[in-house]
Amino acid sequence: SAGSAVVRVTDNAGATADAFVTIFPALAISPTSQTLNINDTLTFTATDGVPSYTFSISNGTGTIDSSTGLYTA
């Protein structure tokens, strides 16, 4: 889950060293599925992960605005 952690290593003499880890929430996109007619538009939104977001089409047709998530079928 999201949050933070401290990872500690201890050697045989009792000396320690720490590493600090920040854990970001998993990136999500909405909606995850949609049916559109030709020339219809839909705005996708992203949440969590590490902003800012860049939208792109990984497969198929249509266009998308890489910064706003506005998709045109």
Side-chain angles (χ1 to χ4, degrees):
S1 65
S4 61
V6 177
V7 178
R8 176 170 289 162
V9 61
T10 306
D11 68 13
N12 202 34
T16 62
D18 293 338
F20 300 90
V21 179
T22 300
I23 305 162
F24 293 104
L27 177 61
I29 189 169
S30 178
T32 58
S33 179
Q34 187 72 37
T35 301
L36 298 174
N37 293 314
I38 294 173
N39 295 322
D40 281 355
T41 61
L42 174 70
T43 300
F44 288 93
T45 57
T47 55
D48 298 327
V50 182
S52 65
Y53 308 111
T54 302
F55 296 89
S56 62
I57 297 172
S58 65
N59 187 24
T61 61
T63 60
I64 194 158
D65 183 300
S66 63
S67 60
T68 66
L70 178 65
Y71 174 82
T72 302

